[in-house]
Amino acid sequence: MSTTRILAIDPGSRITGFGVVDIINGKTTYVTSGCIKLPDEALSVRLKSIYQGVSTLLSEYKPHEFAIEEVFLAKNANSALKLGQARGAAIVAASLQDLVVHEYAARRVKQSVVGNGNADKTQVQMMVQLLLNLESKPQADAADALAIALCHANTRTSGGLEYGVGKRAGRTSKRWTEQDVRKTL
């Protein structure tokens, strides 16, 4: 039986969500999720908490793969910088465990899980609950992290081609061709 464990992080400067899933013979199953609640202190203290929290998760769950959301351009440059620093703290923790870091744009994650790159948090929570067969909706930041894990699970098994057209996907048309399918085999 082949098992791959994925730890995904939804970074934030106030709350950082995490999600852990296992892929067992191609089927994704829920392990755990939650939030690293950061103290209402200086940014340096919050970054230390992110690093320590992610390091603890890495030690406890021993993932094989690590995925995180990319920085998006926010209306507020200061918020984008803080988000980038939060990502950095989590990435350093993973890198020190010799894990390759896989990064996904928020739009791509939503497209993968909900089918709509502009989906809101409620839609993401609902689809994560359905896809992972959870009894209740996870907290919003934990649901976002689980969505990142699901996106990575889908991408790693399909060569990432489900995301459409362009150089990165190696396709020039919105329609799948036999050649596209053969590339994934």
Side-chain angles (χ1 to χ4, degrees):
M1 183 171 356
S2 171
T3 301
T4 300
R5 177 160 287 176
I6 299 168
L7 168 61
I9 299 292
D10 177 41
S13 63
R14 297 282 176 203
I15 297 174
T16 292
F18 68 88
V20 180
V21 298
D22 281 345
I23 303 172
I24 304 169
N25 293 328
K27 182 174 172 24
T28 305
T29 58
Y30 175 81
V31 176
T32 192
S33 63
C35 296
I36 302 168
K37 291 185 173 60
L38 306 172
D40 191 19
E41 295 186 34
L43 179 62
S44 60
V45 175
R46 288 182 274 153
L47 294 174
K48 178 181 173 184
S49 294
I50 292 169
Y51 171 81
Q52 290 174 332
V54 172
S55 294
T56 299
L57 292 168
L58 291 164
S59 295
E60 186 173 343
Y61 294 102
K62 304 194 182 332
H64 303 104
E65 299 181 12
F66 182 86
I68 192 165
E69 189 174 87
E70 288 179 346
V71 172
F72 59 91
L73 292 176
K75 292 178 185 173
N76 182 337
N78 194 34
S79 295
L81 286 171
K82 286 179 183 175
L83 178 61
Q85 291 169 329
R87 288 179 73 253
I91 289 170
V92 167
S95 295
L96 288 174
Q97 297 296 317
D98 294 324
L99 289 172
V100 175
V101 175
H102 301 274
E103 301 178 62
Y104 297 96
R107 188 183 274 292
R108 182 173 180 181
V109 171
K110 292 174 182 178
Q111 179 68 40
S112 174
V113 175
V114 179
N116 175 2
N118 294 317
D120 62 30
K121 284 196 175 278
T122 306
Q123 291 171 305
V124 172
Q125 285 176 294
M126 184 182 76
M127 286 306 297
V128 165
Q129 180 184 2
L130 288 170
L131 292 170
L132 292 174
N133 198 26
L134 303 176
E135 290 182 19
S136 61
K137 280 195 277 189
Q139 189 273 351
D141 296 290
D144 288 347
L146 287 167
I148 295 163
L150 288 167
C151 176
H152 179 62
N154 293 336
T155 301
R156 65 185 294 284
T157 57
S158 64
L161 294 179
E162 76 274 19
Y163 296 106
V165 180
K167 265 183 160 172
R168 294 180 88 184
R171 298 173 51 222
T172 56
S173 165
K174 289 186 178 181
R175 300 188 67 184
W176 283 95
T177 66
E178 183 178 344
Q179 185 178 11
D180 293 327
V181 174
R182 288 183 189 275
K183 284 181 190 176
T184 65
L185 301 176

